[in-house]
Every structure is written in structure tokens, then in C-alpha cells.
């Protein structure tokens, strides 16, 4: 069904791959991303990345909506400085983006955040939810990124946005699976907390889950009967937002509560897509078709990110 472009709004999520400034933070493991570090992360490279990421965000959903995304969940951002520098880029400045961010305990210093356009969204509350793991070998706490909850009025309707960046599979999928299951359980607690106040709350869950829509953590622990995961159908078609050893994975997802699906909803879900434009892809070599990333290992490539953004559209009713 075709809808008028001025009635469609876009909500997006993007893992922006190590958006660090060039300043060494003595409290985090960011030494590689400094001018003298092994990645030789200079101001020129930093601002080139900001320009690229800002252009990507400005274009998401433009195939169906007149507007740039009204909300954008971000992960792998270092701090408020990088967010401030991002929203002041030429491609984004006129859209009036603001941001919500908390510093997490992640050892690399990368956090979750939410960009919003105050013309469309009025935040009324935001909070973070910590969770840690006990390292089985050392017995020490292993810190990860916070779950970010932002509640606010989207065109006058109260919605709750939950932004996630779950623990990676770096040590192996099976070995780390329990961490993502725990992350899903934390998100369920967040949802329960919301629903104590409003049993009919409109909720949008987004993030880099480091698991596919078909994974145990998503299907069995996160997506209850009250939620719809539109990314599952994209996954079953073999589509993905990142590659590893030439295999596609759809770790980046946006999940919506089912009360956003019906005709009576003020914001009616109309579809989900992966923003995988050709200009975001690597054009040749063994990585052809994969996201054109900033680095491959230690080698600077000058691309965007190792993930494609994902987005959902809603029909806005008066």
C-alpha cells in the first residue's frame, strides 16, 4: 500500500563502529584511537568519519518519507563530545537533532545513545540499566554497555525506546551465549518496569544484539507474545546487516510492541528495512558487498561502519 510521504516517519538504529574522538581517556581502553596509537586516529580521519556517518543518517528512509529519521539509536559512540560533533555536521545540523547519552562502564568506553529531533519527539525521562558478568576464570566483574531507556512523546503519543548493545561473540557464540540471554532478561525487567505504570505502553526495542532474530536470546527471552520482530522475515530471506567470514548476520534489529501494528494505532508500523545502499558497500575484493568499514583489522579504509543501519517506518495519524 502506498502512503503519502509526509505521513511517514522513520526510526533508525546504527552501529557506527568505534566513533571515538582523538583524545586519550585515561579511564578507558581507547589508546588505539589516538594520533599516536596503533590506528593513527587523527583529527582528519575523525572528521571524515563524522561527515560520512552524518550523511548516512540524513538519507535513511528518504525512499519513503520526506523527513530524515526522527529517532536514531546509536552504539559504539565514545562520549558526549562525539555526539555533539556529529549533530553539528553540515548534513545533520538543520534537522535539529539532540541526544541522550550516559557513560557506561564498558572497558573500551563505548556507549549507547539516542538521537532525536525535538520537532517530533519530546523526551520526558531517561535512565540506564547496568549489568555485569562474573568472569569464570578470573572471578572479576566483566562490564558491558548499559541498556538505555528513553521515554517521551512522539508527535504527542507516549512511547518508550530501549537501546541495546549486547555482549559480543568474540570468544565464540556458545561460550558467550549466556551473556546475551542475561541481557535479554535485563530488557524484560525494563519492559516490566514500564508496564507497571502503563500496561498498554508503546515500546520500541532496538540494538546490536550480537545475535540473529532466530537466536535463543531474541526468540525465547526477548520477543514475547506482545512484540513483533519484523527483522525475522528479513533474516529468513538471507539478508543481513554485517558479514563475518563471508556469512551474513542480522544482529541489528528493531522490535515493536504489537499495539503499534493495528489500524487504531496513532503510529502504525508499516515496514522494516536494512539500509544497504550500494554506496555503503565495499565494491571489490573478498569483502565485496559487505559494509564499507573504517578499518579492516589495523588497516585504515576510510569507510562508514562495519554494520549497515536498519530502520522502521510508521504511518503517522492525525
Amino acid at each position: 500500500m502506498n502512503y503519502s510521504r509526509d505521513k511517514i516517519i522513520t526510526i533508525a538504529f546504527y552501529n557506527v563502529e568505534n566513533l571515538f574522538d582523538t583524545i586519550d581517556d585515561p579511564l578507558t581502553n581507547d589508546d588505539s584511537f589516538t594520533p599516536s596509537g596503533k590506528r593513527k586516529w587523527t583529527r582528519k580521519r575523525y572528521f571524515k568519519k563524522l561527515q560520512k556517518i552524518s550523511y548516512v543518517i540524513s538519507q535513511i528512509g528518504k525512499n519513503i518519507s520526506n523527513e530524515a529519521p526522527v529517532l536514531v539509536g546509536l552504539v559504539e559512540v565514545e562520549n558526549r563530545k562525539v555526539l555533539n560533533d556529529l549533530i553539528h555536521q553540515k548534513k545533520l545540523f538543520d534537522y535539529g537533532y539532540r541526544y541522550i547519552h550516559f557513560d557506561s562502564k564498558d572497558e573500551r568506553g563505548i556507549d549507547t545513545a539516542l538521537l532525536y529531533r525535538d520537532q517530533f519527539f519530546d523526551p520526558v525521562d531517561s535512565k540506564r540499566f547496568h549489568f555485569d558478568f562474573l568472569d569464570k576464570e578470573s572471578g572479576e566483574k566483566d562490564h558491558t554497555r548499559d541498556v538505555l531507556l528513553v521515554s517521551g512523546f512522539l508527535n504527542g503519543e507516549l512511547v518508550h525506546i530501549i537501546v541495546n548493545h549486547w555482549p559480543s561473540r568474540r570468544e565464540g557464540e556458545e561460550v558467550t551465549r549466556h551473556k546475551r540471554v542475561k541481557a535479554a532478561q535485563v530488557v524484560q525487567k525494563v519492559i516490566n518496569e514500564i508496564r507497571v505504570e502503563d500496561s498498554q505502553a508503546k515500546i520500541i526495542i532496538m540494538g546490536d544484539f550480537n545475535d540473529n532474530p532466530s537466536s535463543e536470546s531474541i526468540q525465547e527471552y526477548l520477543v514475547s507474545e506482545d512484540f513483533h520482530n519484523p527483522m525475522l522475515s528479513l533474516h529468513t530471506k538471507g539478508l543481513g546487516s554485517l558479514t563475518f567470514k563471508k556469512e551474513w548476520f542480522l544482529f541489528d534489529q528493531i522490535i515493536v510492541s504489537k499495539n503499534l501494528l493495528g489500524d487504531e494505532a496513532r503510529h502504525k508500523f508499516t515496514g522494516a528495512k536494512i539500509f544497504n545502499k550500494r554506496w555503503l558497500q565495499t565494491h571489490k575484493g573478498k569483502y565485496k558487498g559487505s559494509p564499507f568499514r573504517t578499518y579492516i583489522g589495523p588497516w585504515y579504509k576510510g569507510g562508514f561502519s562495519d554494520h549497515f543501519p536498519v530502520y522502521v517506518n510508521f504511518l503517522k495519524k492525525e
Side-chain angles (χ1 to χ4, degrees), residues 234-258:
L234 299 178
H235 177 58
T236 56
K237 293 174 185 174
L239 299 175
S241 55
L242 72 153
T243 59
F244 180 67
K245 295 183 177 178
K246 298 187 177 180
E247 184 179 353
W248 282 99
F249 296 87
L250 188 45
F251 290 171
D252 305 279
Q253 301 169 52
I254 303 177
I255 300 161
V256 300
S257 56
K258 286 186 176 177

Side-chain angles (χ1 to χ4, degrees), residues 29-40:
N29 185 17
D30 69 344
D31 297 16
S32 295
F33 287 92
T34 58
S36 59
K38 68 178 182 180
R39 305 246 175 162
K40 296 181 172 56

Side-chain angles (χ1 to χ4, degrees), residues 124-188:
V124 293
D125 191 26
S126 59
K127 59 182 74 171
R128 57 184 170 172
F129 295 81
H130 296 299
F131 61 104
D132 304 311
F133 306 97
L134 206 61
D135 188 283
K136 292 177 181 176
E137 292 184 7
S138 67
E140 295 180 356
K141 278 189 176 179
D142 180 13
H143 302 297
T144 191
R145 283 77 58 166
D146 296 338
V147 173
L148 173 64
L149 168 64
V150 179
S151 303
F153 288 93
L154 179 64
N155 299 309
E157 179 177 44
L158 184 62
V159 296
H160 307 270
I161 314 296
I162 305 172
V163 186
N164 300 264
H165 189 190
W166 288 5
S168 79
R169 297 182 171 197
R170 190 169 292 112
E171 298 152 30
E173 190 276 325
E174 287 191 23
V175 174
T176 57
R177 185 182 300 168
H178 72 282
K179 294 183 178 182
R180 291 182 295 280
V181 167
K182 181 174 180 181
Q185 293 169 332
V186 170
V187 177
Q188 277 294 350

